[in-house]
Amino acid sequence: MSKVAEKIRRLHHSFCSVVVVAAGASSRMGEDKLFLDLGGKPVLAVTLSNLNKCEAVDEIVVVTRPEAADAVGALRSEWLLDKITKVVFGGKTRTESALAGAMAVSKRAKIICIHDGARPFVTNRLVAEAVHCAVLHDAAAPAIPVKDTVKTADKGIVTGTPDRSKLYAVQTPQAFHASIIKSALTRAVQSKLEYTDDCAAAEAMGCPVFLTQGDENNIKITTPQDLSHARFIQESHREGD
């Protein structure tokens, strides 16, 4: 972020709550990926520790499954995560879980970020730029350009080749003006719509989403291969210290 952009962010700083969605079933991993070891910490603890260090973050609300609530709560004291204010239960879908978290944030929250619990390598820059852009434009998300050629297909037959220069892989944290994302998620749940990310809910209300610079290391751990990649990234970070 440029010095000018950082100055603007500070001048317009609004109370920022981060909702960490950690209520998934980890079906593709075969076990709860959020509590697997990553450099001596559970994956979720790495995610929360990195968010806890972010200057733009004022509070963290964790959304989890009822059976994992005690374990998530224990992370707060074990890893000194003082910005965690609440641990709440998620719903049957990601959208329901995101809404549960959004409704549990502080009344002071002007900006709500929603972040995947399985993206441990979130950085201060990623959060700050998303928050800054959301303050100015209501909704923002980090993204990286797609490198591979992408095809659309129907029953295994290619139906099209989208222009790669216009394709981006969207990451989290996704940042929104609080009233916008609460309304968008409420509308989605009431209409029984399921979205793979929260930007889509805002887009469905006609809210433009601005993209900020993502990070190649900001991966989401979904499969055992992803976990191996994450451990490589973690080890590389240690060697660079």
Side-chain angles (χ1 to χ4, degrees):
M1 180 183 295
S2 70
K3 291 183 178 179
V4 173
E6 174 62 15
K7 184 176 181 180
I8 291 173
R9 188 191 70 79
R10 290 182 181 277
L11 287 173
H12 291 273
H13 175 69
S14 299
F15 191 98
C16 173
S17 300
V18 178
V19 173
V20 177
V21 181
S26 300
S27 56
R28 280 175 282 184
M29 184 66 76
E31 55 185 312
D32 194 338
K33 61 189 177 185
L34 295 177
F35 288 92
L36 294 175
D37 180 76
L38 181 58
K41 285 184 179 182
V43 169
L44 183 57
V46 177
T47 303
L48 295 172
S49 294
N50 284 331
L51 286 170
N52 205 74
K53 292 185 290 187
C54 292
E55 295 178 2
V57 175
D58 294 295
E59 77 161 345
I60 300 170
V61 173
V62 185
V63 185
T64 189
R65 305 184 314 279
E67 61 269 27
D70 288 343
V72 172
L75 296 178
R76 185 183 188 280
S77 56
E78 183 175 358
W79 300 105
L80 305 178
L81 304 172
D82 60 293
K83 290 185 180 180
I84 295 178
T85 58
K86 293 179 183 178
V87 177
V88 300
F89 298 156
K92 295 180 180 179
T93 67
R94 189 191 187 287
T95 302
E96 289 179 359
S97 295
L99 177 59
M103 290 305 187
V105 302
S106 168
K107 293 181 179 179
R108 298 170 59 195
K110 299 299 182 184
I111 298 295
I112 296 176
C113 290
I114 303 179
H115 185 65
D116 298 321
R119 286 189 192 270
F121 302 118
V122 60
T123 65
N124 188 67
R125 178 190 66 79
L126 284 168
V127 176
E129 290 188 359
V131 169
H132 164 69
C133 198
V135 167
L136 298 180
H137 303 293
D138 293 335
I144 55 176
V146 171
K147 296 178 180 179
D148 297 325
T149 296
V150 176
K151 301 286 187 180
T152 57
D154 182 22
K155 299 179 181 179
I157 306 296
V158 172
T159 58
T161 306
D163 181 357
R164 188 174 62 185
S165 67
K166 296 181 180 180
L167 298 177
Y168 291 82
V170 179
Q171 304 175 336
T172 66
Q174 299 180 356
F176 309 89
H177 190 281
S179 62
I180 288 175
I181 194 58
K182 287 180 180 179
S183 296
L185 293 172
T186 297
R187 178 180 177 183
V189 169
Q190 290 176 344
S191 301
K192 297 183 179 180
L193 298 173
E194 296 183 25
Y195 296 111
T196 56
D197 80 335
D198 306 292
C199 286
E203 293 163 28
M205 285 185 57
C207 177
V209 177
F210 285 72
L211 298 183
T212 59
Q213 182 181 348
D215 189 326
E216 294 283 355
N217 287 336
N218 187 30
I219 65 170
K220 183 178 181 181
I221 298 174
T222 302
T223 66
Q225 291 75 22
D226 296 330
L227 182 61
S228 295
H229 186 192
R231 286 171 174 162
F232 174 79
I233 294 171
Q234 183 83 318
E235 189 61 31
S236 298
H237 285 179
R238 286 182 174 180
E239 291 176 358
D241 290 342

